Structures are given as C-alpha cells and as structure tokens.
Amino acid sequence: MRLSLSLLALLGTVAADSLFAFNSSTQVETRSLDELHQAALAEGGTVVLWHGGDLANGGDDLKKSFEARFPGVTLNVTIDLSKYHDGRVDQGLASNGFLPDSVILQTLQDYPRWDVDGALLRYKPAGFDAINPAYKDPFGAWYGVYVYSWSFIWSSAKLPNVTIAEFADFLKPELKDKLVLTYPHDDDAVLYAFDLALRAYGAGFLDQLIAQNPRWVRGTGTPSLIIQNSTFAEAATFTSDLGYAPVDGIGSTKPATGPFVSWAQTAAILKDAPHPEGAKLLHNYILSPEYQNTTGWQVREDLPLPQGFPYAPLDKVNNTNPVDFARWMEDRGRVERLRFWFEAKLGTAQGVSPLIDPLS
C-alpha cells in the first residue's frame, strides 16, 4: 500500500514534533552551585549515591569534599561492585522499590537500556557541553564524570633494584612470588585489561604470568594495599591504581607502549530520585572545574590538566582508548566467554568481599 504525499508530509511533521518534544524534555542547568545548594537544602539536605568500588572507604574523599563545600547537605555514599549495584537498580525499578538519587558505575552497558526504559532523568549539568562527546548521551541521560585507569605499581622498598615499564617486566625472575593481581573474572575492567594484554602478547603471556606464582585477590584496591604493607611479600601489580600524587616508597607508571585500560566512570540521576535537587548539586559539583582539577585525566575538554600531572593529555596517549571499554562492555557474550575461560585457567575467585576484608 502506498501512502499519499500529503500523508507522508503529515507523518514527517509528527515525527519532527516528536523529536522536538524528545529533545525539549532534557533539563539544562543554568543555576550556580550556590543556588543549587539552597535548592538541595530546601529539599531536605540529603543525597543518596550508589558508587562502584571495592573498598569500603572508597567514597570518603568525595563525601568529605562535597559536605565541606555545601554545609548542611549530607552525601550518603554506598560503595559496592558496580555489577551488584546495577542489579539493585533493576530490582528497584521492577518493584517500584527504593532507588538512590544518583549512580556512578563501571557497568557502562546499563545506562542506555535504563534510558530506553525511561528510568533516567535527562539532565545537562553545567559543563555538560564541554564533556568529550564520546563519554555522554546527547540528551543528558548519562555522562562520564571522571576517568579511571590501571597503572603499573610496585614497592621500591621491597624491590629496590627493579623498574617496571612494560608488561614483559612482570615476567622478570626477581618478581617470581612477588606479584599480586586481581582475579580477571571477578571484575570486568580487570578482565578487559587481561584481554588487551593477551591480544597484544598472546595467550602464552598468561601462562608465563601464572608461572610467576602471583597471589590472586578480589578487588582492584586490594593489590595496592598489599604492596604498601610491609608484612606481605607481594610487591607489584598492574590491576590497581593509586592516583597521580606520589606515594613514598611506591613506583607507579603507565606502560610506555603496551595497552592499558582507561574509561570514563559514568553517572546518571534516576528519574524518580527521592532528592533530585541534591543529585543535581552533586553532579554539578563533580563536573565543576574545582573538582575536576583533582581527578587527573578529566572528562571535560575545556580544562587544563592538573598541575604536576605526570602524563600527557589523554587524546595524545596512543596506547589506551577510553571509549573502547564501553563498546567492549556492551558485548556481553564475549565478556562471559572470557570470564569462563579465565575461571577455567585460574579457578573461581576466592576470598570474602574486599569490602569486608581486602587483605584476607
């Protein structure tokens, strides 16, 4: 059946009107942080954030700086693995149960489907236009707020004559029985790191790494804690990060040429958030120049790198691709196959949650 030109024109008009309504539903922030602060106080002065992480104190710095900056507003941060937080969001959405105001998670594949389901507030905080387009939904349903990455970390006290610059250095004889690594099948970002390494160096790299007799642990914060603890022999890892500020007795770098993981940790406000004004305040604060200047690599393209930052701008670093992690996470079939392949090689992840005892 053919449609008349007049009907096609009408449908085109309706489609254009629908698209306009679709775009116009996005809220664009024009208020200052001080004005948002007052709105959050009037709302009750509380923000509930579910944040991905594997150390119980992982949200302390954000909580401290936010509450100091905005007196009277309390930031309640719950840290847990993103793969558990996203299930709780799904449960809350399915049952009309409890939902947080904001989520900042590693499970980047969740945000588009939550948006399609109408679960996210389409909102553009101040600074949204400056966020790298690859890190955000064009309608403001979700957006990166800071960049995470893994580093090579080693104890110069335990390994006084060792320098690590590439993955091959982890195979040095003097590092046998000295490595501590996160189970790749327990954390997708670590799994991605191993995937990159094996694609670059071949499956034999894993066999050589296993021959080094590493200590396998749960949590990405765990290796750095063990390395800094003088009671443990383990002294080096590539599945953790300590930020860019120097730490006494600890060497830290990115690989010179080998691939390493980076991604934009992504945030969204739930459409039915109990405290939407508080959530808006939080997101505007995190994206503000004053906070972005503390995060290392930034999601905003209009800000200079922090003073003393040891690496080049991310778009000048050729051996990492922060956009690729989101694409990789969307291919859940590949992720699951990799997870089970590593589980067959290494056994199931052992130990209690690092949130309970990271050094167990």
Side-chain angles (χ1 to χ4, degrees):
M1 182 178 68
R2 294 185 178 180
L3 296 175
S4 68
L5 291 177
S6 60
L7 181 55
L8 285 171
L10 175 60
L11 289 174
T13 302
V14 171
D17 289 345
S18 298
L19 182 60
F20 178 78
F22 187 75
N23 288 337
S24 65
S25 66
T26 297
Q27 301 176 27
V28 179
E29 191 55 75
T30 60
R31 293 171 292 178
S32 68
L33 285 175
D34 289 340
E35 290 171 323
L36 286 163
H37 182 196
Q38 294 307 309
L41 289 171
E43 183 184 63
T46 298
V47 192
V48 178
L49 168 64
W50 288 358
H51 198 300
D54 50 40
L55 291 178
N57 63 352
D60 289 0
D61 288 345
L62 176 58
K63 177 180 173 66
K64 182 179 178 180
S65 66
F66 178 80
E67 293 180 349
R69 178 65 173 79
F70 305 107
V73 182
T74 299
L75 177 60
N76 294 323
V77 186
T78 300
I79 300 292
D80 204 348
L81 298 179
S82 295
K83 65 181 181 180
Y84 299 145
H85 271 323
D86 69 346
R88 296 185 187 104
V89 171
D90 286 337
Q91 183 178 3
L93 292 171
S95 63
N96 293 319
F98 178 80
L99 290 170
D101 301 306
S102 168
V103 289
I104 302 179
L105 303 176
Q106 174 184 297
T107 51
L108 307 187
Q109 77 279 4
D110 289 318
Y111 291 96
R113 70 178 179 85
W114 284 335
D115 180 43
V116 168
D117 291 342
L120 303 182
L121 179 68
R122 290 183 169 178
Y123 170 73
K124 296 182 178 181
F128 178 86
D129 290 344
I131 298 173
N132 185 317
Y135 301 161
K136 64 186 178 185
D137 168 63
F139 302 111
W142 45 266
Y143 32 84
V145 287
Y146 25 77
V147 174
Y148 280 166
S149 62
W150 303 143
S151 300
F152 294 168
I153 301 171
W154 67 97
S155 167
S156 53
K158 298 177 185 178
L159 301 169
N161 299 313
V162 172
T163 299
I164 299 175
E166 292 292 352
F167 279 96
D169 292 330
F170 288 93
L171 305 180
K172 291 178 176 179
E174 55 265 44
L175 266 65
K176 186 175 178 61
D177 302 321
K178 299 291 187 180
L179 302 182
V180 53
L181 300 169
T182 306
Y183 285 106
H185 42 297
D186 200 37
D187 185 293
D188 281 353
V190 175
L191 185 65
Y192 178 57
F194 274 84
D195 190 18
L196 289 177
L198 267 59
R199 279 188 277 169
Y201 306 114
F205 173 75
L206 180 63
D207 294 331
Q208 293 175 287
L209 196 64
I210 292 173
Q212 291 285 71
N213 193 33
R215 175 179 176 180
W216 297 98
V217 297
R218 297 189 65 199
T220 58
T222 305
S224 60
L225 291 178
I226 289 174
I227 288 168
Q228 294 176 83
N229 191 317
S230 61
T231 63
F232 296 105
E234 292 82 12
T237 191
F238 59 83
T239 62
S240 193
D241 190 59
L242 285 172
Y244 66 91
V247 178
D248 289 342
I250 300 295
S252 178
T253 190
K254 308 296 184 188
T257 59
F260 69 92
V261 175
S262 61
W263 77 96
Q265 190 82 337
T266 297
I269 297 173
L270 278 297
K271 189 175 69 174
D272 295 327
H275 313 99
E277 295 301 321
K280 292 173 184 176
L281 175 63
L282 174 64
H283 286 209
N284 279 270
Y285 173 61
I286 292 175
L287 287 171
S288 69
E290 65 182 277
Y291 190 84
Q292 287 287 300
N293 192 49
T294 69
T295 65
W297 279 315
Q298 300 146 332
V299 296
R300 291 179 56 161
E301 297 182 311
D302 62 336
L303 301 175
L305 288 172
Q307 186 174 4
F309 189 69
Y311 305 111
L314 198 53
D315 62 353
K316 306 297 184 185
V317 180
N318 296 324
N319 55 327
T320 191
N321 184 347
V323 177
D324 188 60
F325 181 60
R327 177 204 57 78
W328 184 90
M329 288 285 281
E330 289 175 355
D331 189 352
R332 302 313 296 172
R334 175 178 174 79
V335 172
E336 290 302 310
R337 290 191 299 273
L338 279 169
R339 178 178 291 138
F340 287 123
W341 187 81
F342 276 99
E343 185 175 300
K345 296 282 284 188
L346 304 174
T348 58
Q350 300 296 306
V352 300
S353 167
L355 289 162
I356 299 172
D357 183 4
L359 299 181
S360 65

